[in-house]
Amino acid sequence: MRLAVIGDGPYRRPLERLAENLALSGTVSFLGEMDRIGIRDELRAATLFANPSHSEGLPVSVLEAAALAVPIVATDVGGTREIILSGCGILVPPRAPAILAEKLIYAIRHPDECRVAAARARARTERFFSSPFIVDAYERVLRSIVAHA
């Protein structure tokens, strides 16, 4: 098993120290900031995507994982629920590491179920978060505003 942590920020150094203290340096890779192609390649190679955020808007990383049909375990913050509705992934409460760990273990032990959920997440993302859908939604709103002006 391998854990890849993408991105930089204030938690990177403490997480690196924790990985060293737990003798996980060979298992956990801290990849730092990556370009879109690098992130896409990492997601394509992943068997599971975790987003343990404490707060989010609409998390692009979750959309990217869903678009690539990678099984998702994420905290129920911001717009994450809009992407991962029932049956499209696993949502956990924020700041609940024991529950997050339990659901990650569940996902690892039930890969077939998670792949089905990931396929649903991909279909949902293509339908509701694609550029054509967003453009059409904006057009409808703008036409409604003009019609009522």
Side-chain angles (χ1 to χ4, degrees):
M1 183 176 285
R2 175 179 163 256
L3 171 64
V5 180
I6 299 173
D8 284 317
Y11 294 112
R12 181 172 176 166
R13 288 298 308 143
L15 288 172
E16 287 174 330
R17 282 192 298 275
L18 179 62
E20 288 172 20
N21 291 341
L22 295 173
L24 295 173
S25 296
T27 304
V28 180
S29 301
F30 292 89
L31 304 178
E33 292 295 323
M34 299 181 78
D35 62 20
R36 291 183 318 171
I37 294 169
I39 291 169
R40 185 198 61 215
D41 291 345
E42 284 295 322
L43 283 172
R44 282 190 174 144
T47 53
L48 181 63
F49 174 80
N51 188 33
S53 293
H54 295 172
S55 70
E56 286 282 356
L58 184 68
V60 173
S61 60
V62 175
L63 282 170
E64 291 170 332
L68 293 170
V70 178
I72 299 168
V73 176
T75 49
D76 190 3
V77 294
T80 306
R81 178 176 292 274
E82 295 176 42
I83 303 164
I84 306 175
L85 291 178
S86 179
C88 291
I90 299 172
L91 282 175
V92 299
R95 300 181 190 272
I99 297 171
L100 176 63
E102 173 189 318
K103 296 302 181 180
L104 287 168
I105 292 167
Y106 178 88
I108 291 165
R109 290 182 176 162
H110 298 86
D112 293 338
E113 181 181 326
C114 288
R115 279 192 288 274
V116 170
R120 284 190 204 114
R122 179 182 177 147
R124 178 168 174 67
T125 300
E126 288 174 351
R127 180 167 181 209
F128 295 110
F129 296 97
S130 66
S131 295
F133 178 83
I134 301 296
V135 169
D136 287 346
Y138 274 116
E139 280 186 24
R140 285 191 304 274
V141 169
L142 292 173
R143 287 179 198 277
S144 174
I145 292 169
V146 169
H148 291 93

